[in-house]
Amino acid sequence: MKRTFFLLLTILFFSFISCSNVSDSNNAKSGTQNTSKPRIYLDNSVYYSICDEGEDGSWGLNTTINDAPSYEYTHLEQLQFRNLSDLAGPTGKFLWLKIQFELIPELQNEDLSLVIPYLHFADELYLNGRFIDDYGITDPESLQEAGYTSHLFDFPEEFLNQTGVNTIYIKVYAIGFATISPGVFVGLRHDAWAVSDNASFWQSRIYMPFEGVMFASFILFVVFFLFHKKQRVYLFFALINLFSIFFFSFFYIGDLPWIGFHGNVPFLFFVKATRCISFFGMEFMSVLFIFEFLRLRHHKVEIILRGLASFLCITFTLLMPDYISLIKITPLLLGISAIDLFLSFITIIGNLFYPQKRKLALYLFIGAMPLVISAICDVIIKGFMRNINVPYISMFGWQITIIFFFIYFSMQYRRLSTRLEYLNTELENEVELQTRQLTKANERLDSEMKIAQQDIKAAARVQKKLFHPPETDFSHWDIAVAYKPLSIVSGDFYNFYSMGTDLYGVSLFDASGHGVAASLVTMLAENIIQSNIRDAHIYGEDLSVTLERINSHFIAAKGDVENYLTGLLLRITEQNDDECTVSLVGAAHPFPELYHADEKYSEEILPDAESPSFGPIGMEMIEVHYSPIDLTMKKDDVLVLFTDGLVEAMNSQRVEFGRKELKNILKESGSFSAQTILHDILQGLSAHVGMADHTDDVTVIVMKRK
């Protein structure tokens, strides 16, 4: 047991050290650059304004970004735990935060990101009047907490004022422990992503491994109890672990796909179950565990009263109609449970003075100390120092307590192993038998995998026959195509539509996902797209109408298949030998790049701002709107179509290839043949990605007017 205690003390020591390091790294003072990477720290640039109570009784629910500039803002002096709740109070108000900054030379003409290590409760952010992103749901009717992960907002280069002031407005629903933490900065994307990932790990995802430990403990001690039903302490310990699993799950709520707007479990119910009911369950089982461990007589009246108290706490929790009501009553209910738990801890201390119970009480006391000490640390750090960037140390302490008793019971159970020698021998024989059966099963699996691999190769051959560069030389066009699947089969597909040597249409689509499922979707979609485009050409139909009909037909054809499409449709109308009109319409797909030979520059072809184009193909109940774009191509102009696998390809530093690099290549190679231009694009992509892995299919079509 001495070795066990030493191990636990070592774990606790390094837990405090690691938490301290995280705190130091996340609490950089505003304006102080403690890294070689260029950053703009904004801790001292945060201003706030509390929304007035509206006619509907809400404090700013219906305010928009158009209202934000008209408010009066006050400097937020302290970026610390519960700073926003101190301003807004407990009833749930909306705040507008305002942050202004100017770009330093090192960050100009770059895609940047904003990092807020912790922002609570839910928020939506705007940069220079443009919506960037949101975390959580601020509507009280469908309330969803943003969670404990770091907030990361990407600022595209074109949204930023390269000179002058950039203004950030953040609408925050301030309820509960509403907070904006220190460590806010703007920096390069790869730098910001790395910092955000680190902060999210320490504030949220670090608790995920604990779930595995507790789940293993739960299963193991349920098994122990089934073999030794008189040892109810095993059952209580298993249930403590089970309730702890649910309690810990709240810390990474943003990663759970079935909560709130992600899935079918209402957010309010999940909060009640994890934050409250699980705590009551942990407390009740811990009290039973203490009495059972000490082998104390626990009168039935005491058990009934404790069970009734827990039942009433759970009932009141479930009856709360909304989040604000839950916040108001939770301290009282948690206080009742905490008092019962404290009295049980006093029982442990009291039994230290009884010789018959001293040894067991000492084990309980030592096992509980990591939790007690870490809880005191949390009170100091969160309550007095008001530092939110440090993880909840009590969670580490609780985990050490769990591990301590896990080891203790495991060692106790080991003493029974001598009685199971015969069973162990039989178990070895059973393992040998299962190994032989597993070997045979693996052989069958290998055979089936070979067959599946042959099927995939057959699908790839079919795809190559369906999707290939044009075999005809079209009049007035020099065309080159690159088609690079991520795996054997691809989710990208394209086609050229012509009457003889006259090219009148082009399509390029990208199916969501990868592999066999995506490739099968491409074959289904191609038939639908091809028939609709040819009918549209015959009847002179508007491309936006054609794309909407393709969307409807594809939704009906694919049934329950979840894959969807993004894509482009082009119609070509010849004006004379030197010019043609190209009409195009896009469905949530990267728009093409047009190189003008006369002016030697390229531009991204985008729809009119007053008539946007949005919505993928194949997502039922999703509103779509497809706006056509008309452009004129002259002799030697170049139009480049591509899937997102080109511009979003990243190198090992997580920097994207991007459209800017594509523009540079067109500027240098635009006067050459389509094949040369394509070669230079692929060579540039390969040089950028280097040894990093591709994560998506890549298709590029270069169309040069000749």
Side-chain angles (χ1 to χ4, degrees):
M1 294 299 292
K2 292 181 178 179
R3 294 180 180 178
T4 303
F5 298 150
F6 177 78
L7 175 62
L8 293 175
L9 291 174
T10 303
I11 294 174
L12 181 62
F13 173 77
F14 282 106
S15 297
F16 281 112
I17 294 297
S18 63
C19 293
S20 176
N21 291 338
V22 173
S23 176
D24 292 341
S25 65
N26 284 342
N27 285 286
K29 293 183 179 180
S30 176
T32 302
Q33 190 159 319
N34 60 356
T35 174
S36 60
K37 299 174 182 176
R39 295 177 182 174
I40 303 173
Y41 286 95
L42 302 172
D43 287 5
N44 287 333
S45 303
V46 180
Y47 293 77
Y48 73 92
S49 179
I50 304 175
C51 296
D52 297 328
E53 184 176 9
E55 295 180 358
D56 58 355
S58 66
W59 292 81
L61 170 62
N62 298 319
T63 60
T64 67
I65 184 59
N66 296 324
D67 304 318
S70 64
Y71 294 122
E72 293 184 6
Y73 289 85
T74 304
H75 185 249
L76 185 60
E77 297 295 336
Q78 298 292 334
L79 268 65
Q80 59 187 12
F81 186 45
R82 298 172 60 183
N83 51 2
L84 301 184
S85 61
D86 290 344
L87 299 171
T91 57
K93 298 180 181 179
F94 284 86
L95 300 174
W96 279 98
L97 301 180
K98 178 180 179 181
I99 305 174
Q100 292 184 315
F101 66 96
E102 295 183 9
L103 294 181
I104 59 178
E106 295 90 337
L107 298 181
Q108 290 179 350
N109 301 314
E110 296 284 351
D111 290 332
L112 307 178
S113 295
L114 169 72
V115 175
I116 304 177
Y118 181 83
L119 182 56
H120 193 76
F121 180 89
D123 59 274
E124 53 188 51
L125 182 141
Y126 301 83
L127 170 67
N128 295 328
R130 300 187 182 190
F131 176 76
I132 298 298
D133 205 351
D134 58 17
Y135 282 81
I137 298 179
T138 57
D139 185 356
E141 295 297 325
S142 55
L143 194 65
Q144 170 83 27
E145 183 172 350
Y148 289 81
T149 56
S150 169
H151 289 197
L152 176 68
F153 302 92
D154 289 335
F155 293 166
E157 176 189 346
E158 59 268 24
F159 285 13
L160 291 160
N161 297 326
Q162 302 301 317
T163 58
V165 176
N166 291 275
T167 302
I168 298 171
Y169 286 106
I170 311 175
K171 185 179 180 181
V172 182
Y173 188 43
I175 186 173
F177 295 149
T179 303
I180 180 171
S181 70
V184 181
F185 75 91
V186 172
L188 296 173
R189 280 196 176 175
H190 65 276
D191 177 31
W193 290 354
V195 173
S196 177
D197 288 345
N198 183 61
S200 295
F201 172 77
W202 285 105
Q203 292 173 186
S204 172
R205 300 187 179 105
I206 190 173
Y207 306 116
M208 287 185 177
F210 297 168
E211 298 282 298
V213 174
M214 291 183 291
F215 182 75
S217 298
F218 167 71
I219 295 297
L220 181 63
F221 284 92
V222 165
V223 173
F224 282 2
F225 174 73
L226 293 176
F227 280 102
H228 304 278
K229 293 184 178 180
K230 292 183 178 181
Q231 297 290 333
R232 292 186 300 172
V233 68
Y234 292 155
L235 176 62
F236 296 150
F237 186 68
L239 293 176
I240 289 173
N241 280 274
L242 179 62
F243 284 114
S244 299
I245 290 171
F246 290 105
F247 184 80
F248 272 56
S249 66
F250 186 85
F251 286 92
Y252 45 90
I253 182 174
D255 294 312
L256 300 178
W258 51 83
I259 305 303
F261 65 91
H262 291 301
N264 297 321
V265 179
F267 170 74
L268 180 60
F269 176 80
F270 182 77
V271 173
K272 292 177 179 179
T274 55
R275 274 189 170 177
C276 303
I277 296 176
S278 294
F279 178 83
F280 302 145
M282 290 165 60
E283 180 271 331
F284 182 66
M285 288 301 152
S286 295
V287 173
L288 296 181
F289 172 83
I290 290 171
F291 276 80
E292 191 70 23
F293 188 94
L294 292 174
R295 300 168 189 169
L296 296 175
R297 184 181 178 185
H298 204 176
H299 295 286
K300 290 184 178 180
V301 174
E302 292 180 73
I303 297 176
I304 292 173
L305 290 176
R306 285 193 164 103
L308 181 61
S310 297
F311 175 79
L312 290 176
C313 289
I314 292 173
T315 301
F316 278 109
T317 297
L318 294 174
L319 290 176
M320 292 301 101
D322 52 49
Y323 194 81
I324 294 177
S325 302
L326 183 64
I327 288 177
K328 290 180 179 179
I329 199 172
T330 295
L332 173 62
L333 301 181
L334 295 181
I336 294 173
S337 296
I339 290 174
D340 191 23
L341 195 60
F342 175 76
L343 293 176
S344 300
F345 186 75
I346 296 299
T347 300
I348 297 175
I349 296 176
N351 278 271
L352 290 172
F353 300 96
Y354 288 91
Q356 297 88 346
K357 304 292 184 182
R358 182 175 299 161
K359 185 176 181 180
L360 294 175
L362 182 61
Y363 284 142
L364 268 178
F365 182 82
I366 295 174
M369 285 312 295
L371 176 60
V372 174
I373 294 173
S374 59
I376 294 173
C377 291
D378 271 344
V379 171
I380 296 173
I381 294 172
K382 300 291 189 295
F384 294 98
M385 299 174 62
R386 305 189 76 173
N387 188 330
I388 189 58
N389 285 350
V390 175
Y392 283 88
I393 300 176
S394 56
M395 297 303 163
F396 294 87
W398 180 239
Q399 192 64 200
I400 294 173
T401 296
I402 292 289
I403 293 174
F404 174 89
F405 287 109
F406 179 92
I407 295 174
Y408 172 83
F409 287 124
S410 297
M411 294 179 67
Q412 291 286 73
Y413 196 82
R414 186 182 176 185
R415 297 176 182 175
L416 302 175
S417 62
T418 54
R419 304 177 186 177
L420 305 175
E421 183 176 354
Y422 175 76
L423 177 61
N424 288 339
T425 302
E426 291 300 312
L427 181 61
E428 289 178 3
N429 295 334
E430 180 66 20
V431 168
E432 184 178 353
L433 175 61
Q434 293 295 332
T435 301
R436 289 197 299 269
Q437 294 177 349
L438 181 60
T439 301
K440 293 180 180 179
N442 286 335
E443 291 174 354
R444 290 194 300 269
L445 181 60
D446 289 341
S447 176
E448 292 172 358
M449 289 181 65
K450 289 178 181 179
I451 295 173
Q453 194 70 13
Q454 291 172 356
D455 292 342
I456 293 174
K457 290 180 179 178
R461 288 195 294 270
V462 172
Q463 272 199 324
K464 289 180 180 179
K465 290 183 178 181
L466 287 175
F467 313 127
H468 55 78
E471 298 175 350
T472 303
D473 291 333
F474 300 121
S475 300
H476 309 299
W477 292 102
D478 177 17
I479 296 176
V481 180
Y483 183 64
K484 296 183 175 296
L486 180 64
S487 58
I488 298 177
V489 290
S490 173
D492 294 353
F493 62 103
Y494 61 92
N495 210 340
F496 296 87
Y497 309 94
S498 63
M499 297 288 290
T501 60
D502 294 330
L503 180 66
Y504 67 80
V506 180
S507 65
L508 174 60
F509 286 84
D510 182 2
S512 63
H514 308 290
V516 175
S519 70
L520 294 176
V521 169
T522 65
M523 298 176 192
L524 170 66
E526 172 59 18
N527 286 330
I528 297 172
I529 294 167
Q530 190 174 123
S531 62
N532 278 279
I533 289 178
R534 287 176 176 167
D535 289 346
H537 176 68
I538 294 172
Y539 298 109
E541 184 179 63
D542 187 275
L543 278 182
S544 60
V545 176
T546 303
L547 195 56
E548 288 175 359
R549 190 168 62 253
I550 290 172
N551 180 40
S552 300
H553 289 179
F554 182 63
I555 289 174
K558 75 186 184 74
D560 295 334
V561 176
E562 296 182 356
N563 298 74
Y564 60 89
L565 306 175
T566 67
L568 293 171
L569 287 183
L570 275 68
R571 174 183 290 157
I572 300 168
T573 305
E574 295 292 340
Q575 303 296 337
N576 51 56
D577 289 344
D578 293 332
E579 292 185 358
C580 70
T581 299
V582 178
S583 298
L584 67 89
V585 62
H589 192 88
F591 283 97
E593 192 78 17
L594 175 61
Y595 172 75
H596 298 274
D598 292 343
E599 294 84 1
K600 298 188 183 304
Y601 82 97
S602 70
E603 63 174 330
E604 181 182 0
I605 305 303
L606 294 171
D608 194 312
E610 297 179 356
S611 183
S613 185
F614 56 84
I617 295 172
M619 296 187 71
E620 193 171 6
M621 307 301 292
I622 297 297
E623 181 183 359
V624 298
H625 180 77
Y626 306 125
S627 299
I629 307 170
D630 292 328
L631 58 97
T632 299
M633 287 189 66
K634 301 178 181 179
K635 185 176 181 181
D636 293 330
D637 286 353
V638 180
L639 187 65
V640 181
L641 315 178
F642 51 86
T643 56
D644 54 8
L646 174 68
V647 292
E648 294 180 3
M650 292 184 181
N651 59 18
S652 56
Q653 286 76 43
R654 295 182 61 83
V655 177
E656 292 183 347
F657 180 70
R659 192 176 285 268
K660 183 177 179 181
E661 186 64 28
L662 177 61
K663 289 178 180 290
N664 292 335
I665 294 173
L666 286 175
K667 184 177 180 181
E668 295 294 329
S669 306
S671 59
F672 297 108
S673 67
Q675 189 61 47
T676 301
I677 296 172
L678 179 63
H679 174 270
D680 291 347
I681 292 173
L682 296 180
Q683 192 174 50
L685 175 65
S686 178
H688 175 81
V689 173
M691 299 300 293
D693 293 331
H694 284 277
T695 58
D696 201 356
D697 306 316
V698 176
T699 300
V700 184
I701 300 175
V702 178
M703 302 175 60
K704 183 168 185 177
R705 183 75 179 172
K706 65 180 181 178

